[in-house]
Amino acid sequence: TGGSGTYAVMPNPADGSIWYTVGVFAGRGGVMRYDPETQLSEVFNVPMPGFGPRGGDIDSKGVVWVSLASGHIGSFDRSKCKAPLNGPKATGDHCPEGWSFYQYPGPGFQGIGENSAEASYYSWVDQHDTLGLGKDVPISTANLQDGFAALKDGKMVLLRVPYPLGFYAKGLDGRIDDPNGGWKGRGLWSSSGDRTPWLIEGGKGRKPMAVHFQVRPDPLAK
């Protein structure tokens, strides 16, 4: 891992392995799998156009989802790998076919192809459909767009905090309060993670806040 250590921690419900993001602050960026039974670790570097992993999570099938500084959420599926997964030839670049990239919404930079300037800090997978968009939907902090970006059926859904502008999340989690309560019984929770809450809309005196997202099945649902 280039001496950079591990960052996000993701227990895989499919096989009991533990995954991490690596190379977050130095070295090649990627993800690492650790098998408690064999005590073997496998590193898979992020290929272009992706780069700069930060936080990530894993879905119920064992696919890893990672926020990338390239303006994408990247997914890594180990089952797609064709080369040996460990040994002398497994140097980190041996499974580019395991990666897929999905561009975040928002404008990008000129001259480097299709991209987004979105600088997502963390991604989380809604394994249990706590928000209502479906099971295993990955959701990223949209730190330059005052909210979150969820990947639903290959398309990005932007969940935005309309007021006060300047909302900045460092993490998120879901909760089902009433499994029989429909959309009102479930939701996504987050807090403003900025260290300077007085810089958001409202200015001096603003304090950190908790935000609860709920998704109606249709706009007129009661």
Side-chain angles (χ1 to χ4, degrees):
T1 64
S4 65
T6 56
Y7 199 66
V9 182
M10 301 162 266
N12 184 353
D15 66 4
S17 62
I18 308 296
W19 288 77
Y20 309 85
T21 53
V22 294
V24 172
F25 302 109
R28 289 289 303 278
V31 295
M32 184 178 79
R33 178 184 187 268
Y34 173 71
D35 187 339
E37 292 188 2
T38 64
Q39 298 189 15
L40 290 177
S41 295
E42 303 166 358
V43 175
F44 303 95
N45 295 330
V46 182
M48 294 297 289
F51 58 83
R54 197 63 181 255
D57 199 11
I58 198 164
D59 65 26
S60 64
K61 300 179 180 64
V63 178
V64 177
W65 297 86
V66 185
S67 290
L68 298 173
S70 56
H72 305 87
I73 184 171
S75 70
F76 181 76
D77 186 346
R78 182 174 176 265
S79 68
K80 294 181 179 180
C81 294
K82 300 176 181 178
L85 297 173
N86 49 59
K89 294 184 178 180
T91 58
D93 295 319
H94 54 294
C95 186
E97 64 272 15
W99 287 94
S100 298
F101 302 98
Y102 305 85
Q103 184 177 315
Y104 288 125
F109 297 102
Q110 293 183 351
I112 59 172
E114 295 294 326
N115 72 98
S116 170
E118 175 56 63
S120 175
Y121 171 72
Y122 221 96
S123 287
W124 171 80
V125 178
D126 191 357
Q127 294 185 11
H128 305 289
D129 190 21
T130 61
L131 180 58
L133 293 178
K135 291 184 178 181
D136 283 334
V137 169
I139 305 174
S140 300
T141 59
N143 294 111
L144 299 187
Q145 300 181 79
D146 303 318
F148 301 93
L151 184 65
K152 171 66 173 177
D153 297 329
K155 296 181 179 180
M156 287 288 178
V157 178
L158 187 62
L159 307 170
R160 191 166 190 179
V161 178
Y163 178 83
L165 294 179
F167 177 78
Y168 186 96
K170 297 281 279 186
L172 62 156
D173 207 342
R175 191 174 74 187
I176 298 176
D177 294 297
D178 182 0
N180 299 316
W183 68 271
K184 293 182 179 180
R186 60 186 62 224
L188 182 72
W189 286 89
S190 180
S191 61
S192 55
D194 199 343
R195 295 170 178 83
T196 53
W198 55 88
L199 295 181
I200 66 175
E201 188 175 8
K204 186 177 180 179
R206 294 294 311 189
K207 296 181 179 179
M209 57 186 174
V211 174
H212 187 203
F213 283 91
Q214 292 182 301
V215 175
R216 298 172 186 259
D218 64 78
L220 300 180
K222 296 181 179 181

